[in-house]
Amino acid sequence: SKATPPPLSQPGCSLEGKVVIVTGGTSGLGRCIAIACARAGARGVLVTGRDEARGKVTCDSIQLEGGGFCERAFIAVDLANEAAASIIMDYAVGEFGTVDCLVNSAAACFPRGDLETTTPELWDTMMTTNLKAPFLITQALARHLKQRRARGAVVNIGSCAAHGGAPFILAYSCSKAALACFTKNTAAELRPHGIRVNQVNMGWCYTE
């Protein structure tokens, strides 16, 4: 067919009235996503991270890019803590009254290691931050949305490394491959509830 395919980003995409949680929103891709949510008309954006100063910078950018109409908040959490998911959800609901969307952007990708140099500690760090944390926060959001009988969306930030073949980032690649499987499973499970779950497998990104 000679028909022009639709653009990857549909014009007029709107998050008007929605509240979004963005993990890892204090730097890099996560910060850009949080700001993009404000530009798309989100009513509120909760940014999570470990650095309060960087969190403030992101929140200031959200205020600027959102034209002052997007509420914003930051909470300092360590995603290695199993309680972080409930802390984030409780804080978001307390600040905004509800949550509609979640972007699991936070990830550990350093230090690097291959089969010989990857330690059990490094393996566990990658799996905890890149897989277990998204599982727990998605679980918390799904419970919140089902209780409200509301539609919602989850976007997991993956990596082309999920397809393997990069020995120097063994644990990271495995964590992103597992995240892809998690995404497919939860997408199938939550679809009947009107909750979409997708993963974007990014390539290399130029950030600070």
Side-chain angles (χ1 to χ4, degrees), residues 2-208:
K2 294 183 179 180
T4 303
L8 291 177
S9 288
Q10 295 289 348
C13 176
S14 174
L15 288 173
E16 185 176 355
K18 304 298 183 183
V19 173
V20 187
I21 295 173
V22 181
T23 69
T26 58
S27 64
L29 188 62
R31 175 182 290 172
C32 292
I33 291 170
I35 294 170
C37 289
R39 289 175 179 164
R43 175 172 69 84
V45 177
L46 175 65
V47 174
T48 84
R50 291 180 293 180
D51 189 307
E52 291 193 19
R54 293 197 300 183
K56 183 181 185 304
V57 170
T58 301
C59 286
D60 289 345
S61 297
I62 289 172
Q63 181 182 26
L64 179 65
E65 297 293 340
F69 298 104
C70 180
E71 299 177 57
R72 70 273 177 211
F74 168 76
I75 182 169
V77 291
D78 183 354
L79 294 180
N81 180 0
E82 288 189 10
S86 58
I87 292 171
I88 291 168
M89 280 300 302
D90 289 347
Y91 191 85
V93 173
E95 284 289 313
F96 305 111
T98 187
V99 182
D100 303 287
C101 309
L102 165 66
V103 181
N104 285 308
S105 182
C109 56
F110 292 97
R112 294 171 171 174
D114 56 17
L115 180 62
E116 180 65 30
T117 59
T118 297
T119 64
E121 292 76 20
L122 173 57
W123 181 274
D124 288 344
T125 295
M126 294 291 176
M127 294 301 168
T128 297
T129 305
N130 301 353
L131 181 62
K132 188 176 183 179
F135 151 63
L136 291 172
I137 302 173
T138 300
Q139 185 182 62
L141 176 68
R143 288 170 175 166
H144 170 75
L145 291 171
K146 286 190 283 188
Q147 185 177 31
R148 288 173 49 210
R149 296 183 180 275
R151 292 179 176 272
V154 177
V155 177
N156 295 320
I157 302 302
S159 167
C160 59
H163 302 293
F168 62 97
I169 47 173
L170 172 65
Y172 175 81
S173 299
C174 291
S175 71
K176 291 301 186 179
L179 183 66
C181 182
F182 169 75
T183 299
K184 293 174 183 178
N185 277 44
T186 51
E189 178 181 348
L190 297 176
R191 183 183 302 134
H193 298 279
I195 303 169
R196 294 178 292 110
V197 186
N198 289 281
Q199 179 160 324
V200 181
N201 282 337
M202 306 293 295
W204 295 100
C205 296
Y206 183 72
T207 72
E208 76 279 4

